[in-house]
């Protein structure tokens, strides 16, 4: 069974304090690993897809990386508007996405 | 604003009511999804439609009935729901079943 574990569950940062979120996964035949951002009362917003170990993607202050067992979402010099819950999901041999429980990020000014 | 539009945004219904949730996308996506999300939990997959055919039903109770009238529309028909069915119902679409999914902002459903 495909599984995704995200850590930490919650993270508080000061504005400008860089950090990383972790997503560990087990999946038979990884077809893609996805990062989403979700604001309260909204649907998840797609950020990145990673397909193979060694791949990296960047968008503004966010950078996602992938190994054979885990993915990291690096946040450089975060701003308060980066506060959200970040969800990681994997897709294996079926059309089904398996989500982790998310990391709630709070960035204080 | 998202490109997946869900209506209504909020719905309150009694346990004996029948209502429908609607989802629309005009991105030409051929896969559409229904998810249920409880507070502080990740989305849970309910149904997948691939090229307008139901391809995944995650053992969802029959009081939830999906319908895909065409490639742009997805409905979720609700009947005789229970209080524990109160949740945020999210629709998503993707270009094909293996492409990134794009979500709407959901319908907040409350069962009295």
């Amino acid at each position: 069974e495909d599984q995704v574990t995200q850590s930490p569950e919650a993270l508080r940062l000061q504005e400008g304090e860089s950090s990383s979120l972790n997503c560990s996964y087990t999946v038979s035949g990884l077809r893609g690993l996805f990062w989403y951002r979700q604001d309260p009362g909204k649907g998840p917003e797609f950020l990145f897809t990673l397909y193979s170990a060694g791949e990296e993607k960047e968008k503004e202050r966010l950078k996602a990386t992938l190994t054979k067992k885990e993915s990291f979402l690096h946040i450089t010099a975060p701003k308060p508007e980066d506060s959200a819950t970040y969800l990681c999901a994997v897709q294996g041999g079926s059309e089904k996405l398996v989500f982790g429980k998310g990391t709630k990020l709070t960035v204080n000014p | 604003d998202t490109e997946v539009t869900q209506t209504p945004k909020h719905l309150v219904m009694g346990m004996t009511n029948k209502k429908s949730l609607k989802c629309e996308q005009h991105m030409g996506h051929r896969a559409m999804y229904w998810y249920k999300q409880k507070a502080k939990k990740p989305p849970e997959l309910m149904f997948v439609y691939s090229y307008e055919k139901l391809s995944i039903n995650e053992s969802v109770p029959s009081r939830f009935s999906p319908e895909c009238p065409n490639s742009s529309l997805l409905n979720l028909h609700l009947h005789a729901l229970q209080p524990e069915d109160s949740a945020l119902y999210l629709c998503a679409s993707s270009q094909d079943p293996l492409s990134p999914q794009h979500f709407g902002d959901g319908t907040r459903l409350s069962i009295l």
Side-chain angles (χ1 to χ4, degrees):
Chain A
E1 186 178 334
D2 300 343
Q3 288 191 325
V4 176
T5 303
Q6 291 188 246
S7 61
E9 290 186 13
L11 180 62
R12 285 186 174 273
L13 299 173
Q14 289 298 122
E15 185 172 2
E17 180 186 2
S18 302
S19 189
S20 297
L21 313 183
N22 178 264
C23 171
S24 299
Y25 64 91
T26 55
V27 63
S28 25
L30 179 71
R31 296 202 180 206
L33 184 141
F34 304 86
W35 281 99
Y36 288 86
R37 167 196 171 124
Q38 187 171 24
D39 293 298
K42 300 284 188 180
E45 175 190 349
F46 170 69
L47 295 174
F48 303 110
T49 309
L50 300 167
Y51 292 104
S52 57
E55 191 174 358
E56 299 183 351
K57 295 265 178 84
E58 283 190 69
K59 179 181 179 180
E60 296 180 355
R61 295 177 292 282
L62 301 177
K63 179 180 177 179
T65 62
L66 181 65
T67 72
K68 288 187 178 179
K69 294 184 179 180
E70 58 191 354
S71 176
F72 291 94
L73 185 66
H74 306 279
I75 303 176
T76 302
K79 298 182 177 182
E81 53 263 42
D82 295 322
S83 297
T85 295
Y86 289 85
L87 295 165
C88 172
V90 296
Q91 188 167 38
S94 76
E95 300 150 326
K96 182 178 177 179
L97 273 188
V98 176
F99 282 88
K101 294 183 178 180
T103 294
K104 182 177 180 180
L105 175 66
T106 304
V107 182
N108 296 313
Chain B
D1 291 341
T2 69
E3 296 180 83
V4 177
T5 304
Q6 292 188 243
T7 55
K9 292 190 186 303
H10 302 276
L11 179 61
V12 179
M13 57 188 286
M15 289 191 284
T16 58
N17 291 156
K18 285 185 180 181
K19 295 285 184 183
S20 297
L21 309 185
K22 296 187 183 300
C23 175
E24 190 169 3
Q25 58 88 14
H26 294 290
M27 296 179 282
H29 288 176
R30 300 310 301 272
M32 296 186 77
Y33 312 80
W34 281 115
Y35 287 84
K36 173 182 178 180
Q37 187 176 28
K38 301 283 270 186
K40 303 191 181 193
K41 299 287 187 182
E44 296 176 24
L45 183 66
M46 300 175 71
F47 302 104
V48 179
Y49 273 84
S50 178
Y51 299 91
E52 299 163 52
K53 295 192 177 186
L54 184 65
S55 59
I56 295 180
N57 176 341
E58 288 287 296
S59 303
V60 178
S62 60
R63 56 186 185 268
F64 295 92
S65 175
E67 178 195 19
C68 188
N70 60 57
S71 60
S72 300
L73 294 173
L74 188 65
N75 298 321
L76 186 63
H77 302 297
L78 315 172
H79 174 56
L81 295 192
Q82 304 297 308
E84 60 265 28
D85 297 322
S86 297
L88 180 67
Y89 288 83
L90 293 163
C91 174
S93 71
S94 62
Q95 189 168 6
D96 57 62
L98 299 180
S99 292
Q101 296 178 23
H102 297 268
F103 287 80
D105 281 337
T107 293
R108 175 73 60 188
L109 178 64
S110 298
I111 307 299
L112 300 178

